[in-house]
Amino acid sequence: MNSVTHIAPDQDSLCLDLQRGDLVCSQNYINGAWVDPYSKRWYEVSNPATDLAFARVADSGPDDARAATDAAAAAFPDWRARTARERSQMLQSWHGRILENAEDLARLIASEQGKSLAEARGEVAYGASYVEWFAAEALRCNGDILPSLMPGRRQMAMREPVGVVAAITPWNFPLAMIARKIAPALAAGCTVVAKPAEDTPLTALALVKLAAEAGIPAGVINIISASREQTPEAVSSWLQDARVRKITFTGSTAVGKYLARESAGTLKRLSLELGGNAPFIVFADADIDAAVAGLMRGKFRNSGQTCVCPNRVYVQSGVYQRFVEKLQSAVEALRIGPASRSGTDIGPLINARAVAKVDAHVHDAIARGATLVTGGKSVQNEVANGPFYYAPTVLAEASEDMMLCHEETFGPVIPLFRFDTEEEVVARANATAFGLAAYFYTGDPARIWRVAGLLEVGVMGINEGVVASEAAPFGGIKDSGYGREGSQQGLDDYLQTKYMCQGELG
Ligand code: NAD
């Protein structure tokens, strides 16, 4: 059962047009083989553009998770013993396979996640850049020779792989999120068990297939899929298993805290990239056109379903009305539709839960006094012909008592808050449990350094609305989690330090 089972094909199931149909996998990949789940259960994968199922994948349970851990633990001694050059070359080869199959991967992303093909192609390039980056970083797991403070002794700090890593990823970037976890893990010499989000397993399975074709040995990467219902039981096998030495997770804060609690018994290392509530501040001395353009890029990427996208937009009183007008015309020019239609700027939301949350935030804001500038409702028409489309929305005169000020909306909604002073807006921007990203636009260099020093976040855009890069350390503080992905620090998260002291050296 290695090929896709087409359940209800429709015109927007772009994966039906893949050059390589064999990239659509339905089984688990464990110890170098595609296998049916022990659970004997399967579940359906739908296209968010239509909510029609077009494939089915394994609905794994704890036995499948355990088999994956067995394979990863068995493969670890050989993988860690390979030379750094060998691991680097295999990652380079994987990178090459991803680029060779970029169009198919983009179509898979668009089919199961809903983003436009242009965005999906961008995600493939972005995800591949992490594999390329960590192929190079694999050669630089350097340790330290320490100055000796006593005669006849040498002291060294070695860097070693932490062991088996469990990677759990979200649906908003089905390729990039898993690539930027698996690539540094492999570069460091770790082996991996992975579970992609239930809504978007197909891209991750295809990515692992390409890794196998690139020569990455059996057992080094193992991946299982599971429905939302079965996931807690399957993953608990990893949480309790002392052989799993690290969990790397991207997703909601609630699940991140649950993983930290439930894995505490085996004291695992954790990297948690959790929710955000990013402020986007526009000072009156900013280039207003640049600020509108930056906000449009940052906010509507992936229909507003990114953890770093601006969630609260603060505009200084003097330019507030001008900003609202410019933003309204930019938002009303967005074309909403399926990935299969060329020129689509904004696709559907991922599922019914997402639509319900976005709509609840908009209604709550209006009930508490916000003014609806544009959007504010679900859309269903000849082009956007499915249940999960939501109109790009702007709400003016938002205030702190609204739900969208405290929770991540994760949808195409911009609430505009009015502010007067720098001191006031910094305090309001920091008044959240989250601390992932923040953005501000200003033409004053002195203000840049003041405000940058005061905002409580891990990632910041200054006169820039999209900041992610494989060369940069990405991650949050406070309820947005800990650990960093990308950069040299992204490798550190998969390494542990061993101090060695040699005596009797004369
Ligand atoms: P989620 O945290 O529920 O899911 C993320 C991953 O965790 C998925 O693979 C899921 O199967 C898994 N998971 C869920 N429950 C689990 C459990 N009990 N044990 C182990 N694994 C579990 O996130 P979601 O439902 O996809 O989205 C909900 C909210 O999370 C969004 O509205 C948004 O606020 C946030 N989110 C953040 C990011 C991010 O990049 N930081 C990405 C997606 C979602």
Side-chain angles (χ1 to χ4, degrees):
M1 170 136 195
N2 201 2
S3 63
V4 64
T5 303
H6 299 302
I7 292 168
D10 64 278
Q11 72 277 18
D12 288 319
S13 290
L14 297 173
C15 70
L16 303 182
D17 299 331
L18 297 192
Q19 286 163 20
R20 278 190 55 186
D22 68 314
L23 284 181
V24 186
C25 308
S26 51
Q27 294 165 294
N28 291 330
Y29 184 72
I30 297 176
N31 204 20
W34 293 96
V35 292
D36 282 356
Y38 288 110
S39 68
K40 302 212 173 355
R41 284 186 306 264
W42 305 84
Y43 75 94
E44 297 177 349
V45 181
S46 304
N47 183 337
T50 56
D51 197 25
L52 292 176
F54 65 93
R56 67 179 188 177
V57 294
D59 193 2
S60 308
D63 290 341
D64 302 293
R66 205 168 303 112
T69 310
D70 292 345
F76 179 59
D78 172 69
W79 184 244
R80 71 175 296 184
R82 304 247 178 170
T83 64
R85 186 189 297 279
E86 218 176 335
R87 289 199 295 268
S88 171
Q89 284 170 343
M90 283 191 213
L91 285 168
Q92 281 172 31
S93 166
W94 188 24
H95 176 249
R97 298 270 170 166
I98 295 170
L99 295 189
E100 277 165 26
N101 293 279
E103 184 60 21
D104 278 357
L105 290 168
R107 282 166 182 267
L108 269 178
I109 293 171
S111 300
E112 64 178 350
Q113 203 277 336
K115 65 182 64 171
S116 71
L117 258 183
E119 276 197 58
R121 289 179 184 129
E123 183 184 339
V124 177
Y126 175 59
S129 74
Y130 282 91
V131 179
E132 185 181 37
W133 175 267
F134 285 109
E137 286 298 304
L139 303 174
R140 301 187 193 110
C141 298
N142 304 333
D144 291 313
I145 305 289
L146 310 170
S148 181
L149 302 182
M150 293 172 68
R153 282 185 19 167
R154 281 291 168 91
Q155 303 179 116
M156 291 147 281
M158 304 258 296
R159 317 282 303 293
E160 297 187 331
V162 296
V164 176
V165 172
I168 303 168
T169 52
W171 46 263
N172 55 352
F173 290 92
L175 188 145
M177 292 299 115
I178 203 153
R180 78 184 196 187
K181 295 181 186 312
I182 294 180
L186 266 54
C190 299
T191 55
V192 172
V193 293
K195 192 209 74 68
E198 56 277 3
D199 289 308
T200 57
L202 298 173
T203 309
L205 293 168
L207 200 61
V208 170
K209 181 162 209 160
L210 295 173
E213 291 174 6
I216 291 171
V220 171
I221 308 176
N222 308 276
I223 185 165
I224 63 169
S225 54
S227 66
R228 194 158 188 87
E229 293 68 34
Q230 297 305 320
T231 285
E233 208 189 336
V235 169
S236 73
S237 152
W238 294 342
L239 303 181
Q240 312 305 330
D241 194 326
R243 294 174 300 168
V244 176
R245 295 311 314 142
K246 177 185 167 78
I247 297 171
T248 171
F249 171 76
T250 300
S252 62
T253 295
V255 173
K257 288 183 176 178
Y258 163 84
L259 297 175
R261 272 195 313 275
E262 294 297 311
S263 66
T266 48
L267 287 183
K268 300 182 196 311
R269 290 266 290 265
L270 287 162
S271 294
L272 301 175
E273 206 266 275
L274 309 177
N277 184 7
F280 185 105
I281 305 168
V282 183
F283 289 98
D285 56 20
D287 177 336
I288 299 301
D289 290 324
V292 170
L295 177 59
M296 292 296 294
R297 279 199 308 278
K299 179 70 213 185
F300 292 110
R301 199 162 59 112
N302 202 10
S303 305
Q305 302 173 111
T306 76
C307 49
V308 288
C309 74
N311 200 49
R312 299 169 287 153
V313 178
Y314 294 93
V315 185
Q316 203 158 13
S317 291
V319 293
Y320 188 90
Q321 199 47 43
R322 191 149 59 96
F323 191 87
V324 174
E325 285 158 18
K326 284 178 182 276
L327 183 64
Q328 179 178 3
S329 34
V331 170
E332 289 178 350
L334 289 173
R335 288 158 299 182
I336 184 166
S340 57
R341 194 180 168 94
S342 69
T344 287
D345 296 310
I346 183 162
L349 298 182
I350 187 71
N351 55 31
R353 275 189 299 133
V355 176
K357 182 178 184 190
V358 169
D359 207 42
H361 277 198
V362 169
H363 279 95
D364 171 75
I366 292 170
R368 292 174 192 271
T371 312
L372 183 63
V373 177
T374 188
K377 56 182 187 308
S378 286
V379 176
Q380 194 156 8
N381 56 37
E382 273 178 22
V383 176
N385 193 6
F388 303 148
Y389 289 97
Y390 203 90
T393 298
V394 178
L395 295 160
E397 308 302 344
S399 57
E400 266 73 8
D401 59 340
M402 297 170 183
M403 280 160 74
L404 45 63
C405 186
H406 304 286
E407 292 174 27
E408 203 174 19
T409 304
F410 236 61
V413 179
I414 297 179
L416 296 167
F417 300 76
R418 195 188 281 269
F419 77 92
D420 290 314
T421 69
E422 179 184 307
E423 193 183 9
E424 170 208 339
V425 78
V426 167
R428 288 169 71 185
N430 285 338
T432 170
F434 298 98
L436 187 53
Y439 307 84
F440 62 94
Y441 276 70
T442 177
D444 178 349
R447 193 201 297 277
I448 287 176
W449 290 102
R450 271 197 314 274
V451 173
L454 291 171
L455 289 174
E456 297 167 359
V457 291
V459 174
M460 196 177 292
I462 303 166
N463 295 333
E464 181 57 65
V466 178
V467 297
S469 152
E470 71 277 19
F474 184 94
I477 59 172
K478 295 159 74 178
D479 265 6
S480 296
Y482 40 74
R484 293 292 178 269
E485 295 190 320
S487 80
Q488 168 70 47
Q489 291 185 37
L491 190 65
D492 289 344
D493 269 18
Y494 297 87
L495 293 166
Q496 59 202 11
T497 300
K498 182 182 278 175
Y499 161 60
M500 299 191 304
C501 177
Q502 186 178 356
E504 302 295 338
L505 290 174

